[in-house]
Amino acid sequence: TMGKRKSIDGDASSLATSIITIIISSKNGKSMELKELRTAVLTASNLLSDGADVDKASKKLFKQAVKILETDEKVSLNADGIVKLSKSERAKSKSADKEEEPKNEKKKQKKEKKRKKESKIEPELDGDDDDDNEEKEQMSEEESVDSDEEKNTTTNDEDSQNDDNIDTTEDDNNNTANDDPKDKNKPCKGNPQGVTRLFLGNLPFAVSEPTLSTHLKDCVTHIKWITDKETGKFYGSAFVEVDNSKNAAKCLQKINGTQLMGRPIKINFAPVRAGEETDWPPRSRVITGGKMANAGGQAGGAGIKAMSVKPEGCCKLFIGNLSYEIDDEGITKFFMGVEAEVKSVRWLHHKDSGDFKGCGYVDFWKTEACEKAAALNGKTLIGRPIRIDWTD
């Protein structure tokens, strides 16, 4: 009984850490509605599948985690069901942010001091040799200090214009620094826990590993598509590992809520729980959560054959498993539901009988429209789940 109690307390404590991280990464960074917070925390902690109902055990565990935080005066729960972060916890987050601010001001002061020093130096006709040598040694020391500081700070002065942004120059320096595994999970602005695993939800069924990696600015090192264990059905969600904590923060700050193939994706921190260290990150770059392995790193459709890898600039789709009642007007309206304007349609028929094969090809005006249309893979059209694939 004591062992079981310790396990429950440990899980609740792990969940409590996740609660603080997710509130900090919310829109206002201060508070969240209780049910919304519970869904986000349980999903990120792998205790809830995307779209599934919360079970009693998970509700109880979440409730214990909130009570732990209330006892520690880290959060408060009001009568309206709003979980609010305490001032002390918000102050800790801001303190972590300040530690990441660049030391450009100090660098400028050193440069100005050096410039003034050099402007005052003039040849002295009757100066003492010892004084000259001492002055030269001081200059040499200052130049050495300035050189060392310049090596350890970003040379682009534009960085100081907006300390609140995570820009490209800063990211490049951090990627180099984070080659050291010790620096990968370093706490940073917007990510005080140094989390590098993210949960992604509301993904399009046609999403692929290259498409997702490009959308996340090529910072992804591993992907796990979440699928049904028995059927292999893709749930439209995934866990991803990114290369460092700063890029994880950037994904939440700049990419969360953006459109991917016509759908606004959801991103949350998903800290690795106790006991998962040996399983995450996975050995392979791309894995699936069920028995069905998806070829080409493709997430696949709703329990049907996975799509192939998208050709570059593709504007044409193969469509199959169609009702024999389908026509040009019906397929055009179907794709216009996701604002994918059809250019032309070509149906396939048997050579001998002339009967409709239940499949065909659709051309679109733009590759962006083609991507939106591909997101309908597996959706029902006239009572049948349509099968969609890329084609040249």
Side-chain angles (χ1 to χ4, degrees), residues 44-46 185 194-199 239-242 248 268-273 276 280:
S45 301
N46 213 14
N185 298 97
V195 177
T196 54
R197 185 171 75 166
L198 302 176
F199 171 79
F239 285 103
V240 302
E241 180 76 6
V242 296
N268 280 312
F269 288 122
V272 177
R273 301 171 62 204
E276 291 183 335
W280 191 267

Side-chain angles (χ1 to χ4, degrees), residues 23-313:
I23 293 177
I24 290 173
S25 64
S26 65
K27 289 183 178 179
N28 61 22
K30 298 178 181 179
S31 61
M32 286 183 71
E33 194 271 330
L34 183 64
K35 289 185 179 180
E36 180 186 0
L37 176 62
R38 182 177 66 193
T39 301
V41 170
L42 294 179
T43 303
S45 301
N46 213 14
L47 294 175
L48 177 66
S49 299
D50 197 21
D53 294 328
V54 183
D55 57 45
K56 290 183 179 180
S58 297
K59 284 182 179 179
K60 185 176 180 181
L61 193 62
F62 176 78
K63 188 175 181 181
Q64 288 176 335
V66 173
K67 283 185 177 180
I68 290 173
L69 294 174
E70 283 185 303
T71 303
D72 295 341
E73 297 182 350
K74 293 184 177 180
V75 302
S76 59
L77 176 62
N78 62 24
D80 296 325
I82 302 297
V83 181
K84 187 175 181 181
L85 209 60
S86 68
K87 290 183 178 180
S88 61
E89 285 301 308
R90 294 203 301 270
K92 285 181 182 179
S93 176
K94 290 180 180 179
S95 176
D97 292 348
K98 288 180 180 180
E99 290 178 3
E100 294 301 316
E101 293 181 353
K103 300 179 180 179
N104 289 327
E105 189 62 32
K106 185 177 179 181
K107 183 187 71 173
K108 286 182 179 180
Q109 290 175 359
K110 281 286 183 181
K111 285 185 176 181
E112 184 64 19
K113 183 178 178 182
K114 177 184 175 183
R115 188 185 64 78
K116 289 181 179 179
K117 188 77 174 178
E118 290 176 343
S119 65
K120 291 180 180 180
I121 298 173
E122 296 179 357
E124 297 184 14
L125 298 177
D126 56 351
D128 186 84
D129 290 340
D130 292 336
D131 291 338
D132 288 342
N133 291 334
E134 183 177 351
E135 188 173 51
K136 288 178 181 177
E137 289 175 2
Q138 290 176 352
M139 284 178 58
S140 178
E141 289 176 1
E142 287 185 6
E143 287 173 355
S144 177
V145 170
D146 289 335
S147 177
D148 289 341
E149 288 200 5
E150 286 173 4
K151 289 178 182 177
N152 293 325
T153 57
T154 306
T155 56
N156 190 349
D157 290 338
E158 292 179 359
D159 290 353
S160 60
Q161 292 177 0
N162 192 347
D163 290 341
D164 292 332
N165 291 331
I166 301 175
D167 55 28
T168 306
T169 305
E170 197 172 22
D171 287 339
D172 290 341
N173 291 339
N174 288 328
N175 288 340
T176 302
N178 282 318
D179 286 342
D180 187 347
K182 295 180 181 178
D183 294 333
K184 179 182 177 182
N185 298 97
K186 187 176 181 180
C188 65
K189 180 179 180 179
N191 189 358
Q193 305 297 325
V195 177
T196 54
R197 185 171 75 166
L198 302 176
F199 171 79
L200 277 60
N202 200 38
L203 296 173
F205 288 119
V207 69
S208 65
E209 181 267 327
T211 303
L212 184 61
S213 294
T214 300
H215 194 71
L216 297 182
K217 309 302 180 186
D218 295 319
C219 66
V220 175
T221 62
H222 298 80
I223 299 176
K224 178 182 179 181
W225 305 116
I226 300 177
T227 60
D228 185 272
K229 292 181 179 179
E230 297 299 325
T231 65
K233 177 181 177 181
F234 178 50
Y235 285 136
S237 53
F239 285 103
V240 302
E241 180 76 6
V242 296
D243 50 11
N244 61 64
S245 55
K246 282 209 167 186
N247 279 334
K250 183 177 179 181
C251 287
L252 263 77
Q253 293 169 355
K254 297 187 176 182
I255 304 177
N256 182 30
T258 58
Q259 296 281 330
L260 174 59
M261 298 173 69
R263 303 188 72 171
I265 63 171
K266 301 176 182 178
I267 304 178
N268 280 312
F269 288 122
V272 177
R273 301 171 62 204
E276 291 183 335
E277 296 88 347
T278 56
D279 298 324
W280 191 267
R283 293 181 180 179
S284 301
R285 174 178 167 80
V286 181
I287 63 170
T288 331
K291 292 181 178 179
M292 186 182 297
N294 296 312
Q298 185 82 24
I304 64 173
K305 185 179 178 182
M307 294 178 67
S308 59
V309 177
K310 179 192 173 187
E312 186 176 355

Side-chain angles (χ1 to χ4, degrees), residues 309-354:
V309 177
K310 179 192 173 187
E312 186 176 355
C314 181
C315 292
K316 187 175 182 180
L317 294 176
F318 169 82
I319 51 175
N321 196 40
L322 300 171
S323 166
Y324 291 107
E325 297 175 10
I326 192 65
D327 55 19
D328 288 15
E329 183 182 0
I331 198 67
T332 300
K333 285 183 178 180
F334 179 69
F335 287 126
M336 280 303 294
V338 290
E339 299 180 351
E341 187 177 356
V342 173
K343 180 180 179 182
S344 63
V345 181
R346 181 167 66 91
W347 305 113
L348 299 182
H349 299 80
H350 290 284
K351 291 182 179 180
D352 298 332
S353 64

